[in-house]
Amino acid sequence: MKKSKGFWLFLILSILGYGITQVLISSGMLNPFYSNMLINIAINIILAVSLHLVIGITGQFSIGHAGFLAVGAYVSAILTMKLLLPFPVALIAGGLVAALAGLVVGIPTLRLRGDYLAIATLGFGEIIRIVFLNIEYVGGAAGMQVSHFTTWTYAFVCLFLTILVIMNFTNSRHGRAAISIRENEIAADAMGINTTYYKVVAFTIGSFFAGIAGGLYSHNFYIIQPTNFGFLKSFDILIYVVLGGLGSLSGAVLAAILLTIISTFLQDFPETRMIIYSLVLVIVMLYRPQGLMGTREITDLFGKRKATKGGGSYGK
Amino acid sequence: MEWVQQLINGISLGSIYALIALGYTMVYGIIKLINFAHGDVFMVGSFIGFYAITGFGLGFVPALLLSMAACAVFGVLIERIAYKRLRNATRIAALITAIGVSLLIEYGVIYVRGAQPEAYPNVFPNATFDLFGAKISSQSLFILLISVGLMIILQFIVHRTKIGKAMRAVSHDIDAARLMGINVDRTISATFAIGSALAGAAGVIFGIYYTKIEPLMGIIPGLKAFIAAVLGGIGIIPGAMVGGLVLGVAETVVSALGFSLWRDAAAFIILILILIFKPSGIFGKNSREKV
C-alpha cells in the first residue's frame, strides 16, 4: 500500500515537473541555453542511472559505458539520417542494438572480477570506439552529420521510463538478487543465486538505457565523432555514480544534475572542468569512499526510519 | 629483409612498453592497485627530459638520469598523498582514486603549459646499420640497449639487494613482512620510486623515438603497458618484460600487414583474450579465491 502511494506521488510530481518546464520552454521564458541544459541533464541522468544499475546495484565495476553510448548514438543516427526512419523507432533500435552489444560483451567479461572486469570493459569500450573510427559508412574520424531531433519531451519520456524501470528492477526479486551479488558474490552463489544470469541481465539493461541515451545524445548535437566516446566520457559517467554514492539511485541523479550544471558553466574552460572533476573524485574517495549518499535514497531522509537495504561492505 | 626490420621495430616499441609495465607490475604485486597514474608519470618524465635537453642544454644521459630522479620523487609523492590513506580501503575506491589522480596530472600539465605538442630534439646521429639487409636506425639500437641495461639493473636490485628482498617479502605477505620487522611503508615508497624512475626513462626514450610529445600521450602507452603486464602475469617482473615485447611485436605486425588504424584495437583484443582464457597471464599460476 505504502509503496504504491510512493509510486503515484512520484508519477504526479514528475508529470507536474514536466508540465511546468514544457510551459516555460514553449512560452519562451526558458531560453535555448537553459532548455538545452535541461536536455543534457536528462541524458546524463539516464547514463548515470543505467551505470548505477551495473556498478551500484550489481557491484560490477564497468568503466566502458561510453562504448554502449556510442553504439546507441551511431545506430540511431544511421537509422534517421541514412534510412530516414522516424526518431522514436531509431531511439528504440539504438537501445536494442546497445543491449545486444551489452549481452555480447557481458557474457565473457562478467566472469572476471574487480580490477580485471574494469580493465576488460575499458578495453571493450575502446574497441567499440575504434570500430566506429574504421567504418567509412559513418564518416570515420571526421564524424557524421546528425539532425537535431531531441526535444525536451523525448528526453523527459526516456528519463522517466529509465528511472521507472530501474527502480522497479531494483525493488523486485531480481534486484534483490543483484544486491546480494554486490554484497558478497561467493555467498550469493552459495545461496543458489545464478550470479552469471543476474550480472548479465543487469549489464544488458544498463547497456539498453545507455543506448537510448546515445540516441538522444547524437540527435542533440549536429555532429558525432568517435572521439566523443573515448574513456573520458566513460569516466564522466563514472563520476556521477561515484559522487552520488555507490548504490544510491537518487544520489546518481543528484550528482548528474549537479555536475552537468557545473560543467555547462565551465564549458569555455575544459581544463578547469577536468581538474575540478578529478579533484572531486580523489577527495571523495579519500574522505567519503561510499559517495555523498552511500546506499541511502533521498526518500530515506524523509519519513520513518526503516530497515536499511543492507550495505556497508560494498565491493570488498 | 622487411621482416627483420619490422621485428627490430617491434622489439624497440615493446621494450618501451616493458619499461612502463615493470612499474605497473611492481606496484600491483605489492599493494594490489592498478596505478592508472603510472602512464602520466611516463608523460611527465618525457616532458622533464624535453625541458632538460632544450632548456638546460643537457646531453642525453644527464637528461635521462634527471628525468628518472624527478619521476622517482614524483611517484613517491603520488603514493604518499593519494594512495597511502587507501591501504585498507576497498579495491574499487583505490581504483577510482587512481583514475582521479591520472586525470588530475594530465589536466594539471595542460593547465600549466597548454595542450600543444612539442617536437623532441634529436640527440642521436641519424646513422643506420645494415643487419642481414635490414636497415636499423641507431635510435632503435640505443633504445634496446638502454632498456635492456635498465632491466638488468632492476633484476639486480630485486634479487641481490636488501630493499629488493624486502619488496619480495612484502609482495608475498604484507602482514608477515611487517611482523618480521620490515618497514612496509618505506618498501612501498621504494617500489613506487623504482617503478616511476623506469617510467621516466621510458618517457625520454619514447620522446626520442617518436619525436612528438603532448600532455595526453601517457594514456594509450600507459594502457598498453598495463595490458603487457596482464599478458605476462601481473605482479611478475619477467612477465612484464616478455608481455611488453610480445605486445610491441604484435602491434608492429598488425601495422605492417596494413591495418595501422586497428593497431590500438589489437592490444585490447589481446587483453580480452588473455583475460578470458588465462586471467593470471602467461607466467601466472592459478589461485583459488577464498570466502
Side-chain angles (χ1 to χ4, degrees):
Chain A
M1 182 61 205
K2 192 168 173 284
K3 212 169 200 170
S4 70
K5 211 161 79 183
F7 170 74
W8 290 112
L9 194 70
F10 167 69
L11 192 72
I12 291 167
L13 274 181
S14 42
I15 290 174
L16 214 65
Y18 166 72
I20 292 169
T21 42
Q22 183 59 37
V23 166
L24 283 178
I25 290 170
S26 50
S27 68
M29 276 168 71
L30 218 59
N31 65 26
F33 178 79
Y34 287 106
S35 60
N36 193 43
M37 193 164 90
L38 273 179
I39 293 176
N40 275 333
I41 288 176
I43 294 173
N44 285 339
I45 293 177
I46 297 176
L47 285 171
V49 169
S50 62
L51 190 63
H52 152 82
L53 177 65
V54 179
I55 297 186
I57 298 297
T58 324
Q60 302 305 306
F61 196 63
S62 154
I63 51 177
H65 216 53
F68 304 114
L69 176 74
V71 171
Y74 271 100
V75 168
S76 61
I78 289 168
L79 290 184
T80 55
M81 301 311 295
K82 308 257 179 189
L83 308 177
L84 304 172
L85 288 171
F87 182 47
V89 177
L91 264 185
I92 293 168
L96 288 177
V97 177
L100 194 69
L103 195 67
V104 171
V105 170
I107 288 173
T109 44
L110 286 170
R111 299 191 307 160
L112 303 166
R113 290 190 188 157
D115 303 344
Y116 286 111
L117 176 69
I119 293 300
T121 48
L122 183 93
F124 265 115
E126 280 302 290
I127 289 174
I128 291 174
R129 188 180 67 82
I130 293 168
V131 166
F132 284 120
L133 192 66
N134 283 288
I135 299 177
E136 273 310 308
Y137 184 67
V138 294
M144 183 176 174
Q145 299 273 344
V146 188
S147 301
H148 192 292
F149 285 135
T150 306
T151 61
W152 168 239
T153 309
Y154 277 119
F156 180 83
V157 171
C158 292
L159 170 63
F160 180 76
L161 290 177
T162 308
I163 291 187
L164 200 65
V165 169
I166 289 184
M167 223 160 62
N168 276 332
F169 180 85
T170 310
N171 292 327
S172 73
R173 184 179 153 156
H174 300 273
R176 286 195 298 275
I179 289 174
S180 76
I181 296 172
R182 172 188 82 188
E183 293 302 331
N184 191 331
E185 190 172 337
I186 298 168
D189 206 12
M191 296 302 290
I193 288 168
N194 187 347
T195 52
T196 315
Y197 170 78
Y198 285 108
K199 284 196 276 186
V200 172
V201 165
F203 200 73
T204 310
I205 295 175
S207 312
F208 175 79
F209 286 112
I212 298 273
L216 293 170
Y217 181 87
S218 63
H219 292 86
N220 194 31
F221 292 97
Y222 296 96
I223 192 159
I224 48 171
Q225 289 172 311
T227 46
N228 296 351
F229 307 105
F231 41 67
L232 278 181
K233 188 72 197 168
S234 295
F235 290 161
D236 272 2
I237 309 168
L238 178 67
I239 292 169
Y240 303 142
V241 178
V242 170
L243 181 67
L246 292 156
S248 167
L249 187 135
S250 41
V253 172
L254 287 179
I257 295 174
L258 187 73
L259 287 175
T260 314
I261 294 173
I262 291 175
S263 73
T264 313
F265 285 109
L266 285 174
Q267 229 161 28
D268 300 330
F269 310 99
E271 292 89 42
T272 322
R273 184 182 85 102
M274 288 313 294
I275 288 177
I276 292 176
Y277 266 34
S278 48
L279 268 181
V280 163
L281 207 57
V282 173
I283 291 170
V284 167
M285 277 301 118
L286 289 183
Y287 295 100
R288 199 173 159 77
Q290 70 273 44
L292 294 182
M293 304 278 291
T295 49
R296 282 174 305 166
E297 297 294 342
I298 197 150
T299 45
D300 298 353
L301 300 177
F302 310 110
K304 278 174 294 188
R305 189 179 291 258
K306 58 180 178 182
T308 50
K309 277 185 201 147
S313 65
Y314 178 84
K316 271 281 182 193
Chain B
M1 279 324 235
E2 178 77 20
W3 277 105
V4 180
Q5 200 163 334
Q6 294 295 354
L7 196 66
I8 300 278
N9 285 344
I11 291 174
S12 306
L13 178 65
S15 56
I16 295 178
Y17 290 154
L19 279 182
I20 314 175
L22 287 170
Y24 272 116
T25 224
M26 285 162 64
V27 167
Y28 193 90
I30 288 198
I31 54 172
K32 300 278 177 282
L33 163 76
I34 300 175
N35 180 12
F36 263 102
H38 195 64
D40 302 299
V41 173
F42 158 80
M43 177 270 290
V44 168
S46 189
F47 271 98
I48 291 172
F50 172 78
Y51 288 120
I53 294 172
T54 57
F56 303 146
L58 292 180
F60 169 71
V61 174
L64 184 76
L65 292 178
L66 177 70
S67 165
M68 286 175 72
C71 282
V73 174
F74 188 49
V76 172
L77 279 180
I78 293 175
E79 195 270 329
R80 280 289 153 93
I81 295 169
Y83 300 151
K84 201 174 173 187
R85 288 181 61 97
L86 291 164
R87 293 276 165 77
N88 297 315
T90 58
R91 300 278 288 277
I92 287 175
L95 192 62
I96 295 171
T97 310
I99 293 172
V101 171
S102 159
L103 291 175
L104 190 62
I105 297 172
E106 281 160 20
Y107 288 90
V109 170
I110 292 182
Y111 191 80
V112 171
R113 65 163 293 284
Q116 75 278 9
E118 298 280 1
Y120 225 80
N122 191 2
V123 288
F124 292 127
N126 264 332
T128 47
F129 303 96
D130 252 14
L131 185 74
F132 310 119
K135 286 197 186 67
I136 295 153
S137 66
S138 53
Q139 288 170 345
S140 355
L141 222 59
F142 268 115
I143 288 176
L144 213 58
L145 284 178
I146 293 164
S147 325
V148 171
L150 287 175
M151 286 176 203
I152 291 171
I153 294 173
L154 178 70
Q155 280 292 326
F156 176 78
I157 292 176
V158 171
H159 289 283
R160 291 278 182 280
T161 62
K162 207 172 164 187
I163 191 76
K165 203 174 199 173
M167 279 161 62
R168 283 183 285 144
V170 173
S171 127
H172 193 73
D173 188 335
I174 197 161
D175 292 322
R178 193 177 279 125
L179 287 175
M180 288 291 121
I182 291 172
N183 187 337
V184 170
D185 282 336
R186 198 198 290 155
T187 311
I188 291 175
S189 291
T191 312
F192 269 86
I194 295 171
S196 304
L198 291 175
V204 177
I205 294 173
F206 183 91
I208 286 166
Y209 195 57
Y210 286 97
T211 68
K212 195 189 113 187
I213 56 170
E214 47 146 351
L216 295 182
M217 69 185 235
I219 301 175
I220 293 292
L223 280 176
K224 285 185 186 158
F226 177 74
I227 295 173
V230 174
L231 183 62
I234 194 152
I236 303 162
I237 288 176
M241 298 179 195
V242 173
L245 291 178
V246 170
L247 195 65
V249 171
E251 266 190 26
T252 321
V253 168
V254 171
S255 310
L257 292 176
F259 301 104
S260 53
L261 277 173
W262 293 94
R263 213 180 70 171
D264 292 350
F268 288 111
I269 289 169
I270 291 177
L271 169 75
I272 284 160
L273 290 179
I274 196 92
L275 283 181
I276 290 170
F277 292 109
K278 199 167 186 325
S280 52
I282 300 173
F283 288 83
K285 289 189 209 73
N286 277 322
S287 58
R288 294 287 308 165
E289 194 166 344
K290 287 189 214 109
V291 182

